[in-house]
Amino acid sequence: MSAPTSTITAVSPDGPAVEAKPAKRRRLRFVANGKAATGLVVLGFFCLIAIIGPWIAPFDPSQRSSDILQAPSGKHWFGTTHLGQDIFSQMLVGTRGVMFVGLLAGLVATALSILIGVSSGFLGGAADEGLSALSNVFLVIPALPLIIIVASTIPGAGDLMVALVIGFTSWAWGARVLRAQTLSLRRRDYVEAARATGESTWRIITAEIMPNLTAIIASSFVGTVIFAIMSEITLAFIGISTISEWNWGTILFWAQSQQALAQGAWWWFVPAGLAIAILGTALSLINFGIDEFVSPRLRSSGHTRLKTKDGHSVQMRVGFTPVLGSKVVPPTPVVRKNQKKGAAA
């Protein structure tokens, strides 16, 4: 069975309408987006390093040596610390904690936002009032101070505890957005048709409502992952979380406490800073790709070309209706009043 095609017709003032060549529907359109593909590749690279990083690390990240504050070299690719510890090994081992906290917190927060937001918007009534009140309570809870309190009061609070605290305090905003979108979808014709055929409530939510909220859910997940990663690094940088487990924030904590910048040891903090910036950029690119994938105006911007009768190609743009002419109309000459009077004489 052939893939469906679409035809675009342009308006021509001097002749019949000009039809563009049929364009096949592009499969895997999200992956074909340059921004999304770049972000997914970079994110996949960091996930791979998080899995195999401790196995391929050339040294123990906590092992001391006589190579104190050595610049990057063939033996130590990212240099060493004031105790002779290999920074490259610390980066490889520390990637796991950063990715674990970010992805787990994003999954927990996204699951809660879907469960509470979609249920609140679709059910309505007392359930909507109660779930909305719960969302409002968690919306005003400051997440980072709560994480600091929990991490400082619970002995040995590791990455799992930090990820759970971030996830359980970061779902309210996504739930509010999903509730608003669900309210606009619950009275659509296809939802009413499913309800009239006797479909159950959860069947309608999962099969009719949820597919139309995929982009918002994905964007909320990406935003929560960014927030969780930055929170984990911030906690380690200010010394709140345990410093016995390596992550990028721990590297920056020791670099700042030992005044690496004043000593000229730029290799101590630059790799961790670049890794944070690159990972944040990758997640942002994925978010931009989701926006372009969802919005038809952004998705079709600049990707449609029309062929005129004289063989010229016209690039369509968003917000404009193409008008194709077959001939050039000469400009009308402007005759002044005194020229008219002289011609009459």
Side-chain angles (χ1 to χ4, degrees):
M1 184 176 182
S2 59
T5 59
S6 59
T7 304
I8 300 176
T9 304
V11 181
S12 179
D14 300 317
V18 180
E19 290 189 355
K21 294 181 179 180
K24 294 183 178 181
R25 180 175 295 177
R26 299 169 61 185
R27 298 179 179 178
L28 300 177
R29 185 180 295 146
F30 178 71
V31 182
N33 184 282
K35 298 176 184 178
T38 304
L40 289 174
V41 169
V42 176
L43 181 62
F45 170 76
F46 279 109
C47 291
L48 179 63
I49 295 299
I51 296 173
I52 67 175
W55 301 339
I56 63 175
F59 299 95
D60 184 351
S62 302
Q63 180 182 358
R64 302 184 181 185
S65 67
S66 58
D67 300 330
I68 298 176
L69 283 180
Q70 295 293 320
S73 61
K75 183 179 180 181
H76 302 284
W77 289 3
F78 289 174
T80 58
T81 67
H82 67 297
L83 298 177
Q85 299 166 335
D86 185 64
I87 299 178
F88 180 66
S89 301
Q90 294 177 356
M91 289 288 300
L92 293 177
V93 175
T95 305
R96 174 174 294 183
V98 173
M99 299 303 299
F100 175 79
V101 171
L103 295 178
L104 180 60
L107 289 174
V108 172
T110 304
L112 290 175
S113 64
I114 294 173
L115 179 63
I116 296 177
V118 177
S119 301
S120 174
F122 186 80
L123 297 178
D128 185 17
E129 295 293 335
L131 295 176
S132 297
L134 181 63
S135 301
N136 293 333
V137 170
F138 276 87
L139 196 62
V140 298
I141 294 178
L144 189 58
L146 180 61
I147 298 170
I148 294 175
I149 294 173
V150 171
S152 59
T153 55
I154 298 178
D159 294 336
L160 178 61
M161 180 61 65
V162 173
L164 291 178
V165 172
I166 295 175
F168 281 112
T169 56
S170 305
W171 58 267
W173 179 256
R176 297 289 294 179
V177 176
L178 290 176
R179 175 184 176 273
Q181 292 296 321
T182 305
L183 287 174
S184 66
L185 295 174
R186 59 180 295 190
R187 295 303 179 188
R188 299 291 177 90
D189 293 340
Y190 60 90
V191 177
E192 294 292 344
R195 187 183 289 109
T197 56
E199 297 286 351
S200 62
T201 300
W202 297 111
R203 175 72 172 78
I204 295 175
I205 291 177
T206 55
E208 305 294 342
I209 302 295
M210 290 284 292
N212 294 281
L213 302 175
T214 304
I216 301 175
I217 294 171
S219 179
S220 176
F221 171 76
V222 172
T224 306
V225 170
I226 295 176
F227 172 75
I229 289 175
M230 296 308 299
S231 299
E232 165 72 0
I233 294 173
T234 301
L235 290 174
F237 177 72
I238 63 180
I240 298 298
S241 62
T242 176
I243 58 177
S244 61
E245 299 179 1
W246 287 102
N247 60 55
W248 299 342
T250 308
I251 298 174
L252 296 177
F253 167 78
W254 286 113
Q256 187 270 340
S257 61
Q258 298 300 321
Q259 298 182 352
L261 181 61
Q263 300 184 53
W266 54 268
W267 58 86
W268 198 343
F269 55 85
V270 168
L274 284 178
I276 296 170
I278 293 173
L279 180 58
T281 303
L283 293 172
S284 299
L285 289 175
I286 294 175
N287 201 2
F288 297 154
I290 293 173
D291 292 338
E292 295 183 2
F293 176 73
V294 173
S295 175
R297 294 175 63 85
L298 295 176
R299 184 169 64 240
S300 61
S301 175
H303 294 291
T304 305
R305 301 188 71 89
L306 297 178
K307 198 89 169 181
T308 61
K309 291 187 297 185
D310 54 0
H312 293 288
S313 181
V314 178
Q315 184 81 20
M316 292 183 62
R317 297 180 180 179
V318 174
F320 295 92
T321 301
V323 179
L324 307 180
S326 59
K327 61 181 180 179
V328 179
V329 179
T332 303
V334 179
V335 181
R336 296 180 180 179
K337 293 183 178 180
N338 54 1
Q339 292 178 349
K340 293 182 177 180
K341 291 180 180 179

